[in-house]
Amino acid sequence: MARTALLDTVDEAVAGIEDGSTVLVGGFGLAGMPFDLIDALIRQGAKDLTIVSNNAGNGEVGLAALLKAGRVRKVVCSFPRQADSYVFDELYLAGRIELEVVPQGNLAERMRAAGAGIGAFYSPTAVGTPLAEGKEVRDFDGRPYLLELPIKGDYALVSADRADRLGNLVYRKTARNFGPVMAAAATTTIVQVSEVVATGELDPEAVVTPSIYVDRVVAAEARHYTVQGAR
Amino acid sequence: MTTEHVDRGPLSMDELAEVIARDIPEGSFVNLGIGQPTKIADHLPAERGVVLHTENGMLGMGPAAHGDDVDADLTNAGKVPVTELPGASYFHHADSFAMMRGGHLDVCVLGAYQVAGNGDLANWHTGKPGAIPAVGGAMDLAIGAKDVLVMMSLFGKDGSPKLVPACTYPLTGVGCVSRVYTDHGVFELGGDVVVVRETWGASVAELRERLDLPLATKDE
């Protein structure tokens, strides 16, 4: 798809996501989580999903709600266990969900590699730890590194602050987190923004994710949560 | 010379944070790990020019946000709402960890379950059955910063030492820690033997009794 599709509803935006898809979900905790796209995905019904995200859900909103609905087969993330990750904890301890723990920087770089056409790369992170098990070790300049493979998504669900009508994106503060990396790493990138502005209104010097990475955009009212809950 | 403060008790974690803050070079780029190390920020006055990095994508992080300053889009790595200082910058996760892995970060201070005399660090997983593994950025930080410092109590709640001959918990990083700050003393790693720089509430002789590894004093 060459041009970014501007959609009227989040339900149209997530149409066609197939059972068994690998879905990259943006956000760090609740900051930058695409709540409305996830809610639409729950309504859409796709199941047996592999979710790649930094965390495994907080409370019962966003990613946690998707897990609770029983749609997720496997979570690839860096930090599943949190004070309010009880939905994931219960599923995991009951053996009803698979978990692959990836160090946060490797998680980001593996997706970056996928988006940048890198076949694999060597990272010094996790050498000599249990997370190095089964990975090729190779020395460069006398220092050991692990072979890491890209993580590519069938879909990415990303939240940004604003888009123009071509699909160029700007983010807000630390809600940027995985958005730009995931947008490039998925076959189909779906973005919710709080506002779509006219093309030409975004300062080209300030665009963070260029429209080439963006397939579908939908405006949704920004819902903000903090660790204390919705506000 | 090793300084022994035996006329007082061990340091509180707040006093220890102040000791660590004094050692952080002016103008350095620093990442403070989740938990106790975040206290160090309270002892870094603006004129020191220390720039705080938070791995979720920011340089120039300010203190915790309260009341109307809370912005759900602006948190630290512990997901606590924070503020931005003049000169702050935002970047995505791959860039954030590239600046860490690429050796651009001067110092990180991490908490720990155990540190071994050879600098091995264990701070991510107890390895207990039923414990859900969660690593976050700990392994990236351990190998990334030029100087990896640890802030912890020297003894666990059961009295067992946390500075050990070899870690029994699963490792976070191999030979990565350069200095360990504890309530009972500061320990320099990286040489053939662990060197005690300073003690509180215990003499070096007493620490030798309680720890399972050889300790040298400075200039010994």
Side-chain angles (χ1 to χ4, degrees), chain B residues 41-78:
Chain B
D42 299 339
H43 303 282
L44 291 169
E47 60 270 22
R48 295 274 304 281
V50 171
V51 178
L52 294 182
H53 170 261
T54 180
E55 60 264 34
N56 52 319
M58 180 188 198
L59 280 168
M61 178 176 63
H66 300 286
D68 288 347
D69 286 338
V70 171
D71 181 333
D73 287 343
L74 179 49
T75 73
N76 66 12

Side-chain angles (χ1 to χ4, degrees), chain B residues 20-30 48-50 106-107 147:
Chain B
I20 299 171
R22 278 203 298 268
D23 284 355
I24 290 178
E26 211 162 284
S28 49
F29 291 93
V30 176
R48 295 274 304 281
V50 171
D106 297 302
V107 177
D147 232 350

Side-chain angles (χ1 to χ4, degrees), chain B residues 189-213:
Chain B
L189 311 187
D192 295 333
V193 64
V194 174
V195 177
V196 188
R197 189 182 84 180
E198 195 169 0
T199 71
W200 296 278
S203 64
V204 174
E206 285 169 301
L207 292 180
R208 281 190 176 125
E209 296 259 307
R210 293 189 68 185
L211 297 181
D212 226 4
L213 74 177

Side-chain angles (χ1 to χ4, degrees), chain B residues 143-161:
Chain B
I143 58 91
K146 288 181 207 161
D147 232 350
V148 176
L149 312 179
V150 161
M151 175 184 188
M152 66 178 191
S153 57
L154 186 53
F155 301 99
K157 287 194 181 106
D158 62 354
S160 58

